[in-house]
């Protein structure tokens, strides 16, 4: 039995395909969608928990990769270095889920990891290199 939290990144030409339907019907997986950011003709992201038999999960990952979907295994995470952070706020403007936000009344930046969908936008926005990606592609295990 496999149970994994992953993020799927959809390129624009795949966004409108019934990926969830195939995961359930063709690979017998249970799909629990935790967060979705899907827009027609733009890159989309889905955070989900998948569970099912090991072999089915491995076959599903192979199929997802063939569809040109990027799979990020959430056993790895985005990390925030409090020591490096200068609380400039640049990341709070671009973070789509407000995982990086200002804590009032001190107005210091905090990182709420459970809201993070590993979009990696903050990596490019942070001038202090306080954000790091520890995520790796899922390998189907
Ligand atoms: S990767 Fe960065 S910008 Fe993206 S959701 Fe997580 S904290 Fe926010
Ligand atoms: S952009 Fe970097 S330095 Fe600025 S508040 Fe965000 S994490 Fe801190």
């Amino acid at each position: 039995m496999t149970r994994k939290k992953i993020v799927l990144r959809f390129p624009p030409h795949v966004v409108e395909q019934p990926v969830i339907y195939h995961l359930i019907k063709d690979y017998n997986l249970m799909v629990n969608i935790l967060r979705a950011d899907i827009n027609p003709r733009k890159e989309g992201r889905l955070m989900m928990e998948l569970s099912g038999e090991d072999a089915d999960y491995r076959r599903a990952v192979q199929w997802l990769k063939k569809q040109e979907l990027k799979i990020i295994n959430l056993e790895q995470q985005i990390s925030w270095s409090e020591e490096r952070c200068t609380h400039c706020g640049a990341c709070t403007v671009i973070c789509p889920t407000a995982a990086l936000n200002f804590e009032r009344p001190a107005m210091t930046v905090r990182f709420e990891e459970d809201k993070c969908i590993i979009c990696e936008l903050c990596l490019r926005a942070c001038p202090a290199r306080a954000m790091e990606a520890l995520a790796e592609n899922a390998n189907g295990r």
Side-chain angles (χ1 to χ4, degrees):
M1 183 79 180
T2 295
R3 180 185 295 270
K4 283 190 186 293
K5 280 187 189 168
I6 64 168
V7 171
L8 284 185
R9 284 202 198 166
F10 297 65
H13 64 281
V14 183
V15 156
E16 291 175 24
Q17 287 189 24
V19 169
I20 304 301
Y21 169 82
H22 287 296
L23 290 176
I24 296 170
K25 183 162 183 302
D26 300 342
Y27 300 100
N28 308 311
L29 297 179
M30 283 184 58
V31 180
N32 182 17
I33 295 175
L34 304 171
R35 197 179 295 272
D37 178 16
I38 302 285
N39 301 292
R41 294 180 294 281
K42 289 186 183 168
E43 186 188 83
R45 297 182 192 89
L46 268 182
M47 181 191 284
M48 62 176 79
E49 186 175 68
L50 297 177
S51 53
E53 296 299 325
D54 297 352
D56 287 336
Y57 180 81
R58 279 197 295 273
R59 286 193 310 120
V61 167
Q62 294 308 316
W63 177 77
L64 288 168
K65 287 179 178 173
K66 278 189 195 150
Q67 310 312 304
E68 300 177 45
L69 291 159
K70 186 175 179 191
I71 309 164
I72 299 169
N73 189 336
L74 287 187
E75 283 169 11
Q76 287 84 31
Q77 296 282 343
I78 294 284
S79 78
W80 172 59
S81 167
E82 196 165 356
E83 294 75 38
R84 286 191 204 161
C85 179
T86 60
H87 302 275
C88 69
C91 57
T92 64
V93 180
I94 51 94
C95 178
T97 63
L100 287 156
N101 58 64
F102 277 109
E103 189 169 20
R104 295 171 196 273
M107 295 304 282
T108 51
V109 167
R110 66 180 167 187
F111 176 46
E112 295 182 90
E113 199 174 320
D114 58 326
K115 294 183 182 172
C116 177
I117 57 168
I118 315 186
C119 68
E120 299 185 3
L121 289 175
C122 55
L123 270 57
R124 293 190 285 276
C126 178
R129 300 274 186 268
M131 305 306 297
E132 279 186 305
L134 306 176
E136 295 172 356
N137 286 348
N139 56 14
R141 279 180 292 154

